[in-house]
Amino acid sequence: MIMWSNGKFVKANQVSTLNWVMHYSGSAWEGIRSYEVANNGTVHPFALTDHVSRLFDSAKILRLQIPYTQDQIRQAIRDLQIKIGPVELYFRPIVYPMKDAEGKADDERVGVDIYAFELPNGFPKKGIKVQTSFKSRAYPHFEMQCKSSNNYGALEQLRRGAKNAKVHDFLLTDGHGNYTEATTANLFVVRRNKIWTPPNDGSILPGLTRAFTIEQTGAQEKKVTRPELITASEVFITGTYAEITPVVEIDGYKIGDGKPGPTTNKCREAYFHAVRNRLWLGTFGQSYYL
Ligand code: PMP
């Protein structure tokens, strides 16, 4: 596998387990998909400007000074796409302290690596089963608006139990009993002809797929309780990995009639139409062609 590492294309490296992040966390990263544009065969990263901007915001919050400009990182992603060829990819840029755990505490070097691989959406189209967890992921002790390894501690522990629990994913709380997100996706609820999503009050990562979905549906921001989830007519999650995935069962309760509902289906169609026709260019409204 080829990757971009600190300004050069190299063979994917084996990260040292002595790297600082392995021990103390504190990396910033993004997940970006590229999609083939309908009828022309070219492949473009979706909402690239937004993703790179969020990467820089996350790094700033963590006090990591990225030694490149946003334009250079966007260009590196486009160049990596060209090097690999016109296939749909998932890009994973990661910003990290370069020191290792026995390194000098004053080593402030910051590294940027970009991995790219083919990553289909592994969730079944007919919908997923999820379990509510009483865990709050990290909020309010960590800043969820920062996309950092700091915020995924609960995820790994839960995911390891997913097979046992016979579910695909988990819903996490804001620490006050309101459900905020799945492990790596935002949450939407359709109930009594209203569509809403938990507020961007610091307890969620404000996802770009969420921004797209709000724009499409006019969804309102409102807290979500467990009884509201269970009695909803539709629930779905949004994210770069999840795209738009229906949730058809929560804690063994069937949601609606246990099948993807009309609002979810409409959103999914709108999403794929937009990404394959470059109809949504992110919140900056900017396009960067390869
Ligand atoms: N919340 C969390 C915690 C995530 O990791 C992700 C995935 N980036 C999302 C929400 C969805 O964000 P996006 O639509 O920008 O991928």
Side-chain angles (χ1 to χ4, degrees), residues 51 54 137 147 152 181 183-186 205 207-209 238-240:
H51 279 290
R54 190 167 68 185
R137 54 191 326 146
K147 191 161 170 61
Y152 292 91
E181 287 177 306
T183 56
T184 60
N186 294 113
L205 182 77
L208 296 170
T209 326
T238 66
T240 300

Side-chain angles (χ1 to χ4, degrees), residues 76 147 166 169 199 201 224 227:
K147 191 161 170 61
K166 296 195 169 64
D169 206 354
D201 59 0
V224 174

Side-chain angles (χ1 to χ4, degrees), residues 131 157-170:
Q131 194 176 78
Q157 202 180 331
L158 286 169
R159 274 210 177 154
R160 283 183 182 279
K163 232 187 195 153
N164 243 354
K166 296 195 169 64
V167 292
H168 299 92
D169 206 354
F170 293 88

Side-chain angles (χ1 to χ4, degrees), residues 9-245:
F9 290 104
V10 296
K11 269 197 163 163
N13 55 12
Q14 185 87 45
V15 173
S16 160
T17 48
L18 246 196
N19 180 268
W20 187 266
V21 178
M22 281 279 187
H23 301 253
Y24 302 112
S25 198
S27 65
W29 53 272
E30 272 300 318
I32 306 167
R33 275 186 192 271
S34 61
Y35 288 98
E36 186 172 340
V37 176
N39 304 325
N40 88 9
T42 62
V43 178
H44 301 279
F46 178 52
L48 181 60
T49 313
D50 276 288
H51 279 290
V52 171
S53 166
R54 190 167 68 185
L55 181 70
F56 276 68
D57 286 348
S58 299
K60 179 173 184 181
I61 295 164
L62 297 169
R63 299 183 194 276
L64 296 173
Q65 177 80 42
I66 300 178
Y68 302 97
T69 62
Q70 294 196 27
D71 199 37
Q72 284 173 311
I73 297 298
R74 284 195 299 263
Q75 192 57 45
I77 291 169
R78 280 181 251 134
D79 289 346
L80 191 53
Q81 175 77 65
I82 288 167
K83 262 214 151 24
I84 295 172
V87 282
E88 294 189 342
L89 294 169
Y90 178 87
F91 294 94
R92 173 58 64 87
I94 180 160
V95 178
Y96 56 96
M98 290 180 89
K99 64 187 168 192
D100 60 36
E102 67 160 7
K104 295 190 180 77
D106 62 356
D107 180 354
E108 299 294 348
R109 286 173 308 141
V110 173
V112 184
D113 287 351
I114 308 171
Y115 294 86
F117 37 90
E118 288 179 60
L119 181 73
N121 178 350
F123 288 136
K125 282 199 190 71
K126 60 184 199 319
I128 58 169
K129 297 178 181 183
V130 304
Q131 194 176 78
T132 57
S133 164
F134 287 106
K135 273 187 191 299
S136 73
R137 54 191 326 146
Y139 180 78
H141 309 293
F142 287 91
E143 289 145 320
M144 280 310 302
Q145 286 155 331
C146 172
K147 191 161 170 61
S148 167
S149 55
N150 292 356
N151 295 340
Y152 292 91
L155 170 155
E156 186 55 13
Q157 202 180 331
L158 286 169
R159 274 210 177 154
R160 283 183 182 279
K163 232 187 195 153
N164 243 354
K166 296 195 169 64
V167 292
H168 299 92
D169 206 354
F170 293 88
L171 301 180
L172 296 157
T173 77
D174 60 2
H176 302 285
N178 305 295
Y179 284 88
T180 51
E181 287 177 306
T183 56
T184 60
N186 294 113
L187 183 61
F188 284 81
V189 177
V190 184
R191 190 167 178 274
R192 302 213 167 113
N193 297 321
K194 289 206 168 71
I195 168 159
W196 79 93
T197 187
N200 179 17
D201 59 0
S203 65
I204 63 162
L205 182 77
L208 296 170
T209 326
R210 174 183 182 273
F212 170 83
T213 307
I214 290 173
E215 209 178 284
Q216 284 291 312
T217 60
Q220 299 291 309
E221 291 191 330
K222 186 181 102 57
K223 289 185 191 300
V224 174
T225 65
R226 187 169 176 276
E228 285 169 336
L229 281 169
I230 288 164
T231 59
S233 51
E234 296 178 48
V235 175
F236 61 94
I237 57 169
T238 66
T240 300
Y241 172 73
E243 297 169 317
I244 293 179
T245 295

